[in-house]
Amino acid sequence: MCGIFGIITNKEQPLGPILIEAGKRLAYRGYDSVGCATVAGDGTIDLRKDVGRIEDVSAALDFPAMRGSRGITQLRWATFGAPSHENAQPHLDSDGDMVGAHNGNVVNNVQMREMFLREGLTVRGTNDGETCVHAVERHFDRNGGRMLDAICAAYDDLEGDYAFVITHRDEHRLYAIKKGSGLVAGLGDGFTCVSSDLPSILPLTRQVLYIQDGEIVVLSPEGIELYGVHDGQQINRQTKRYEGPIEMAEKGGYPHFMLKEIHEQPAVAGELLHLLNGSRHVERFLEALRATDERPVYLVGCGTSYHACLLGAYYFNQLAGVAAVPVLGPQFIEQYGQSVGPKDTAVFVSQSGETKDVLNAVKVMRERGGRVLGVLNVLGSTLMNTSDVYLPLACGYEISVPATKTFVNQAVLFLYLAYRLAGRDTAELDALAALLARTIEATDGAAREVAGYLAGWEEMYFLGYGLSHPIALEGALKLKEITYAHCEGMFSSEFKHGPLSAVHDGYPVVFYTAPGDESMMINHVNEVTVRGGRAIAVAAAHEALGKNVHDYLVVPDADRFTAPILATVPAQLISYHMSVTRGIDPDFPRNLSKTLTVD
Ligand code: M6R
């Protein structure tokens, strides 16, 4: 949530285009509001910001015209303070000498604001990013104008997890601090920059430096200096060259990133399997999974990544006889935090590698001495850097807020690992990419029709049995996320234990079924249809099932372990088409952010 970017250059120049480009690359972190600030050579600060998406605000406020030798941009996902002009970032201090922006949460925001008001500072909004600026301002005013000391002092005052970037009009420096939220700096020819994460830096430079918690980074056009916040001592750490890919986010002819990313699934699944087959990391990963001494492996994730963990647990159990406990990040801490130890292994799964709820669980696992395995899509992320061994999802950037291709590859990765743990030949998985491609082709039309029906309902159920249960949950999450209708995902046999009472004439219930589970599912279907409900099946062709349901999205034939991965595709397509039918932009659903770096 929230993205910050700052740049300092050796000469005054048009900075608007650079800030816009960085902002677009950070937009997945938040799109409630956006702002840019530039500082000219004479110290004049130009601040433009408002509620809305970067494309719209930039056009309305003419960001491209902004010039200077220092610039800051911020993309906001609102937590403290409703989305408004005042709460949009960056923020000025009381007398307009400093400008800064933050990412994260300052949990004593309310108390700090009350203190500022008592002290006579000018507080314009209720956002905690503004609190970071005032927190620096009051120490700066008292210590005779030393930014570094003022920031160190402010660090002690500001409770929570955050990162912020700030500059003073009279000093040609940018300062940034990290406490819990991601921060990375870049060194280029005649400039340096800092950002919440890599993608906004890579178009400018590949020479990067990861900032750690409790460090202040001081940027000048010539270089980057690091200081420890507690002792003010300089830290000697060199930049490193990032060798990974730089991809531009283009829709490639698709109306939305979500649809493009759904269509990329066959290719990325094929590439992942290829990569895993030749990877040394896989052997180390498997070694750690085998070294659990009969103890269960924890599979930890949030949202969509948690659903992949659920499916992974079915795979580990049914294919390899390995017990795995799927668990949400915060739940891991609450339920197992005191009992895990050096013999335990946990696989932490996160597309972004920055989800705070997951990183908090990693921290607990570390403190308890357990093994930390990471599965992530964003290379260079915090999860990658804190794992004993990690496996990449190799999906390329996923821009759309709803996760699609990363879920499929998380599932493919778990299936591959279960095969390896079971000693099965992974060549059996070679057909998966082509099957995914056929599934898109085979189900898109029917998914569009079903979406048309579902669009008339504000609530519904997605049910799955066994291996299909995670797919029902994932489909329901997707539908809620991008259509704003309520959809509950559930283990199909649980439906009769209460929720069945919701069913009445035409009430939609979608049944996800893997081969082998059809007879069981026919029972569950009939419990719904005899009460007037409309049963919609997502399964491979099966005559008896077909005779019992109203609509049938037929996925290609596959074994029972591959089938749930294929069934994911129509689940995604149903949500996508329903979202578009309702006039919603599925890439940027209201209230959400792609990366949640707060508790
Ligand atoms: O980056 P992560 O995989 O850790 O993100 C976890 C969830 O926030 C994420 O999967 C979310 O549920 C998706 N946007 C749902 O489509």
Side-chain angles (χ1 to χ4, degrees):
M1 50 110 350
C2 295
I4 52 175
F5 172 85
I7 186 164
I8 180 164
T9 61
N10 59 6
K11 59 175 187 297
E12 192 167 316
Q13 57 183 284
L15 284 183
I18 295 174
L19 297 178
I20 294 166
E21 173 63 22
K24 283 183 177 166
R25 285 176 172 265
L26 287 169
Y28 72 93
R29 290 178 151 258
Y31 37 86
D32 286 332
S33 65
V34 56
C36 288
T38 51
V39 188
D42 65 359
T44 308
I45 298 175
D46 180 2
L47 174 61
R48 308 180 191 193
K49 59 181 185 174
D50 213 342
V51 174
R53 302 255 294 265
I54 184 160
E55 293 80 5
D56 303 329
V57 178
S58 170
L61 302 182
D62 199 8
F63 286 171
M66 295 178 81
R67 292 181 59 84
S69 52
R70 278 172 277 167
I72 294 174
T73 189
Q74 203 267 10
L75 286 293
R76 178 162 190 248
W77 183 69
T79 50
F80 282 101
S84 66
H85 176 269
E86 289 73 28
N87 288 328
Q89 302 200 44
H91 294 287
L92 295 170
D93 70 340
S94 300
D95 46 13
D97 287 342
M98 293 182 198
V99 62
H102 99 314
N103 161 35
N105 275 346
V106 175
V107 292
N108 58 340
N109 181 43
V110 174
Q111 300 92 302
M112 292 289 286
R113 282 180 49 242
E114 285 169 0
M115 180 178 75
F116 300 148
L117 289 168
R118 277 198 306 274
E119 291 177 356
L121 302 186
T122 305
V123 180
R124 300 174 183 90
T126 50
N127 171 243
D128 49 344
E130 183 181 354
T131 292
C132 293
V133 177
H134 292 309
V136 175
E137 168 190 16
R138 59 194 285 277
H139 288 291
F140 182 88
D141 289 346
R142 287 173 192 171
N143 76 12
R146 294 187 308 276
M147 280 297 275
L148 197 61
D149 294 346
I151 295 169
C152 286
Y155 180 94
D156 290 335
D157 297 339
L158 297 165
E159 293 170 18
D161 288 321
Y162 54 81
F164 69 85
V165 55
I166 190 164
T167 191
H168 190 285
R169 51 179 294 163
D170 296 335
E171 195 186 342
H172 198 48
R173 294 269 183 283
L174 275 185
Y175 295 83
I177 190 161
K178 169 168 159 55
K179 184 178 182 233
S181 295
L183 199 65
V184 55
L187 173 69
D189 188 12
F191 73 90
T192 58
C193 56
V194 67
S195 176
S196 300
D197 58 25
L198 264 184
S200 57
I201 286 187
L202 289 178
L204 300 169
T205 177
R206 282 173 169 271
Q207 213 55 44
V208 299
L209 183 68
Y210 286 97
I211 316 305
Q212 308 295 328
D213 284 338
E215 292 178 354
I216 299 181
V217 54
V218 183
L219 305 175
S220 68
E222 296 77 34
I224 301 168
E225 288 174 6
L226 268 185
Y227 294 89
V229 75
H230 296 299
D231 55 11
Q233 293 298 306
Q234 191 161 358
I235 298 164
N236 204 355
R237 192 182 317 131
Q238 299 305 311
T239 59
K240 284 190 182 149
R241 192 171 161 75
Y242 173 82
E243 298 294 356
I246 309 176
E247 294 162 72
M248 248 328 277
E250 302 287 355
K251 287 186 188 154
Y254 289 94
H256 298 100
F257 284 112
M258 183 179 178
L259 192 59
K260 176 186 175 234
E261 288 160 5
I262 289 172
H263 280 262
E264 285 171 353
Q265 292 178 141
V268 297
E271 278 160 29
L272 177 66
L273 287 168
H274 180 69
L275 187 141
L276 292 173
N277 276 322
S279 159
R280 274 181 301 118
H281 288 232
V282 170
E283 303 314 319
R284 287 182 56 208
F285 210 93
L286 287 165
E287 226 170 83
L289 289 176
R290 288 186 185 114
T292 52
D293 202 16
E294 305 291 313
R295 295 167 76 87
V297 177
Y298 297 92
L299 309 181
V300 189
C302 294
T304 289
S305 297
Y306 168 68
H307 297 150
C309 292
L310 265 176
L311 185 58
Y314 283 104
Y315 286 157
F316 279 24
N317 171 56
Q318 294 196 19
L319 276 159
V322 171
V325 179
V327 58
L328 299 165
Q331 188 189 8
F332 176 79
I333 299 171
E334 296 294 325
Q335 212 166 324
Y336 305 105
Q338 301 303 309
S339 52
V340 288
K343 287 186 176 165
D344 285 304
T345 300
V347 181
F348 296 89
V349 183
S350 171
Q351 183 283 129
S352 59
E354 300 293 349
T355 298
K356 182 90 182 345
D357 288 335
V358 173
L359 297 180
N360 289 344
V362 170
K363 193 163 170 248
V364 168
M365 191 60 166
R366 277 253 166 273
E367 285 163 2
R368 303 285 306 177
R371 265 181 297 267
V372 173
L373 309 186
V375 169
L376 49 103
N377 191 44
V378 178
L379 296 178
S381 59
T382 307
L383 181 58
M384 179 181 125
N385 292 327
T386 49
S387 300
D388 295 324
V389 49
Y390 74 91
L391 290 174
L393 291 168
C395 292
Y397 287 130
E398 188 177 66
I399 304 293
S400 193
V401 167
T404 53
K405 58 180 177 174
T406 52
F407 174 77
V408 161
N409 268 12
Q410 287 165 348
V412 169
L413 189 138
F414 276 128
L415 181 58
Y416 176 92
L417 292 173
Y419 259 63
R420 291 291 309 275
L421 289 171
R424 272 174 80 149
D425 184 359
T426 56
E428 287 177 42
L429 302 176
D430 287 352
L432 209 154
L435 282 168
L436 277 167
R438 278 176 47 210
T439 308
I440 297 174
E441 233 172 83
T443 57
D444 188 44
R448 193 188 297 258
E449 270 175 39
V450 164
Y453 180 73
L454 298 182
W457 291 80
E458 286 310 319
E459 54 163 294
M460 63 202 73
Y461 279 84
F462 280 10
L463 305 184
Y465 186 83
L467 284 159
S468 304
H469 173 222
I471 310 307
L473 296 188
E474 174 56 10
L477 171 62
K478 218 92 303 178
L479 197 126
K480 281 180 281 216
E481 189 175 15
I482 62 173
T483 74
Y484 312 155
H486 183 70
C487 179
E488 195 168 335
M490 189 171 281
F491 207 105
S492 59
S493 55
E494 276 294 292
F495 198 52
K496 61 182 176 290
H497 292 289
L500 185 57
S501 64
V503 172
H504 56 96
D505 289 348
Y507 189 93
V509 183
V510 181
F511 294 86
Y512 294 87
T513 313
D517 297 332
E518 292 92 345
S519 303
M520 175 69 76
M521 204 53 114
I522 288 169
N523 297 328
H524 301 159
V525 162
N526 278 287
E527 287 159 9
V528 167
T529 52
V530 295
R531 290 169 175 87
R534 178 156 167 164
I536 300 158
V538 176
H542 186 275
E543 197 184 349
L545 183 62
K547 288 193 185 304
N548 284 275
V549 295
H550 191 283
D551 314 82
Y552 203 151
L553 284 80
V554 184
V555 297
D557 283 334
D559 65 84
R560 66 186 258 102
F561 300 108
T562 306
I565 300 178
L566 303 187
T568 306
V569 172
Q572 295 165 342
L573 288 168
I574 288 172
S575 299
Y576 172 77
H577 290 304
M578 182 167 160
S579 179
V580 174
T581 304
R582 288 189 161 199
I584 294 165
D585 179 350
D587 288 337
F588 295 102
R590 69 183 180 205
N591 304 340
L592 299 181
S593 161
K594 181 87 179 153
T595 304
L596 289 157
T597 57
V598 290
D599 289 309

